[in-house]
Amino acid sequence: MKGGEAAAHGVAHKGAGASIAAPEETWFHWVYLTVGIPDWLTVSILVAFGLVLFSLFLSRRLETFPKGVQTVVEMGVEFVDNLCQSVIGPRGRDYVPLIFTFFIYIFLLNLIGLIPGMMSPTAHPYITLGLAIASLLMVHFSAIRELGLKNYLLHYVDRPFRNVWGNIFFNFFTLGPFVHLLSQLARLISLSMRLFGNIFGEDTTIYQFALLGMLVGQAFLPSWVQVPLPFQLPVALLHLLVALVQAFIFSALTAVYIGLFIGHHEEEEEERASHQHPLKPAHQNL
Amino acid sequence: MTTPLEVLEKFHLDFRWILSQAVVFLILYWLVKRFLFPVLLRRIQEREERVRAAIEQAEKERQEMERLRKEYEEQLAHIHEEARARLHQAMEEAYQAREALLAQARESAERLHRQAMDQIALEREKLLIELRDYVAELSVRIAEKVIERSLTRDDHHEMINDILEKELKEPTVR
């Protein structure tokens, strides 16, 4: 692999000759060779396109009493609905489309690597970083929309006192806003690296087990039955579970982050309304 | 002093690709939310309403059934009680009728018995009178034979009367 190509394919393929990872060349490598879009982005766009086509197709044949695919989709939607309502609260219903899209999209991105000649786009850090950025953009965008800019910004400061100046000094000395910003950055990194690490690890393991199966087949079988042994099969089955779990974790964490902004705000409103909390004084001063 | 962008370049991060993936997702989200979810949620809601209506209907019918069942049970219990009362009454009546019949039969039997006893007594009286007449006549005939012609007609009568008087005072035949 040439140097420029390796750079476009990102860190995972730096020094491709020594890499143990699965090759990132898919059936769509010609797109990279002609237009310059890397394979993982092509696959990701294709999956998104397929999902859009599927939803257009499904939305035209939805029935009141579901059967077939619609049942599965509705089960997923209801599962996500329960999740959102328990994590975000009564406003959770509004976020079901977002969380469900994250879930199904990441699940498919994780799974598509199982097709020979394809790769999981989520085994590439650019894709997971992009997904995490989209997730946090949506989180902060919905927080601003729900709370208003002022209340949103108030989430970045601590307000333990009634006194405005007391709070200002407190935040100045504890570096509260800086810590809050850092935690947002940590969310970005944890969301993207968890997904990337899991799927990349699974793909690499599957690839290496497949190679091992080929080597063992060559070494121990008689020359007239040279077949690769499917050593990667158990890991591939495990990959189904990991794909589901990682997609669930990513979307559930997005819901949790939304809930931390909106649910937290609702709690504060209640406290402020009751004026009863003994430890946290009311903080309408800031 | 290195700028943040230089740091990112050291990680070989190319933000064009990262942001393009974010944009891909956001477009996908917008399309799915725009096209799939309104219809899907409407269908789910429709079904929920139908199911709720069906369940409510079923519950209503169940309550109606329960009410009817209770009513029937009450009626049935009533009928049982009435039947028992009637049976009791009928038995009472039958018992009374039996008592009455028995009394009547006993009375009738007693009457018959009394009649029979009366009849027997009458018959005996008659028989006794007949027998006395016969005995008298027989004794006259025997006496006639014994004392043939030794007595006159007057003697004869006198003697008979004596005997009869004696006999009436202290009857030897009863």
Side-chain angles (χ1 to χ4, degrees), chain A residues 46-56 101 104-105 108, chain B residues 28 32:
Chain A
L46 280 175
V47 170
F49 191 64
L51 262 180
V52 169
L53 283 186
F54 173 72
S55 30
L56 282 178
T101 313
I104 203 81
Y105 183 47
L108 289 178
Chain B
L28 169 70
V32 168

Side-chain angles (χ1 to χ4, degrees), chain A residues 156-161 164-178 180 286:
Chain A
Y156 288 92
V157 291
D158 300 311
R159 289 177 294 164
F161 305 120
V164 185
W165 288 105
N167 284 333
I168 289 175
F169 276 116
F170 183 81
N171 279 290
F172 183 75
F173 284 114
T174 58
L175 297 176
F178 177 69
H180 282 295
L286 246 173

Side-chain angles (χ1 to χ4, degrees), chain A residues 86-106:
Chain A
S86 64
V87 171
I88 300 176
R91 298 295 313 272
R93 257 228 162 130
D94 300 348
Y95 298 99
V96 173
L98 177 71
I99 307 301
F100 182 73
T101 313
F102 262 127
F103 178 73
I104 203 81
Y105 183 47
I106 293 174

Side-chain angles (χ1 to χ4, degrees), chain B residues 12-68:
Chain B
H12 301 283
L13 289 174
D14 190 338
F15 266 87
R16 280 180 308 162
W17 302 128
I18 295 174
L19 288 179
S20 59
Q21 172 56 36
V23 168
V24 166
F25 175 78
L26 291 177
I27 292 172
L28 169 70
Y29 165 58
W30 184 75
L31 287 173
V32 168
K33 194 185 175 187
R34 171 91 176 66
F35 289 111
L36 180 62
F37 266 82
V39 194
L40 190 68
L41 292 179
R42 200 164 60 236
R43 291 279 177 276
I44 290 178
Q45 205 171 352
E46 269 172 23
R47 194 170 61 244
E48 268 175 10
E49 268 162 25
R50 275 195 181 187
V51 169
R52 191 180 302 121
I55 288 174
E56 273 170 11
Q57 179 71 20
E59 178 66 15
K60 216 181 281 171
E61 275 168 12
R62 199 188 61 80
Q63 279 173 358
E64 177 69 16
M65 288 293 296
E66 187 74 10
R67 196 183 62 75
L68 280 176

Side-chain angles (χ1 to χ4, degrees), chain A residues 44-264:
Chain A
S44 155
I45 291 170
L46 280 175
V47 170
F49 191 64
L51 262 180
V52 169
L53 283 186
F54 173 72
S55 30
L56 282 178
F57 165 77
L58 190 66
S59 66
R60 258 149 241 259
R61 6 180 353 189
L62 285 177
E63 289 164 21
T64 310
F65 296 101
K67 54 188 177 192
V69 187
Q70 193 188 345
T71 322
V72 181
V73 174
E74 283 191 7
M75 267 168 63
V77 170
E78 267 168 37
F79 176 73
V80 172
D81 186 32
N82 287 335
L83 176 81
C84 286
Q85 295 211 25
S86 64
V87 171
I88 300 176
R91 298 295 313 272
R93 257 228 162 130
D94 300 348
Y95 298 99
V96 173
L98 177 71
I99 307 301
F100 182 73
T101 313
F102 262 127
F103 178 73
I104 203 81
Y105 183 47
I106 293 174
F107 183 55
L108 289 178
L109 289 186
N110 292 347
L111 279 188
I112 202 151
L114 286 178
I115 301 173
M118 299 289 262
M119 68 169 288
S120 296
T122 38
H124 198 285
Y126 282 13
I127 295 292
T128 59
L129 260 174
L131 286 170
I133 285 172
S135 157
L136 290 182
L137 273 180
M138 288 311 296
V139 168
H140 290 266
F141 173 71
S142 10
I144 292 171
R145 198 185 51 191
E146 291 278 332
L147 309 177
L149 189 63
K150 184 188 158 212
N151 281 324
Y152 166 75
L153 288 177
L154 282 181
H155 265 272
Y156 288 92
V157 291
D158 300 311
R159 289 177 294 164
F161 305 120
R162 282 176 190 276
N163 189 303
V164 185
W165 288 105
N167 284 333
I168 289 175
F169 276 116
F170 183 81
N171 279 290
F172 183 75
F173 284 114
T174 58
L175 297 176
F178 177 69
V179 175
H180 282 295
L181 275 174
L182 209 60
S183 83
Q184 298 300 323
L185 190 67
R187 285 176 186 177
L188 178 73
I189 293 168
S190 79
L191 267 185
S192 57
M193 289 305 126
R194 180 187 305 110
L195 183 58
F196 159 68
N198 274 287
I199 305 303
F200 176 74
E202 281 284 339
D203 275 11
T204 308
T205 318
I206 290 174
Y207 176 62
Q208 290 298 329
F209 268 84
L211 281 185
L212 184 67
M214 278 166 73
L215 284 176
V216 170
Q218 275 175 8
F220 293 102
L221 289 178
S223 57
W224 47 276
V225 272
Q226 289 283 325
V227 284
L229 298 174
F231 280 13
Q232 76 277 21
L233 195 63
V235 193
L237 291 176
L238 188 66
H239 184 74
L240 292 176
L241 185 68
V242 172
L244 187 73
V245 168
Q246 288 305 319
F248 171 72
I249 288 176
F250 193 99
S251 40
L253 277 178
T254 305
V256 167
Y257 294 153
I258 294 174
L260 279 179
F261 269 112
I262 294 169
H264 191 206

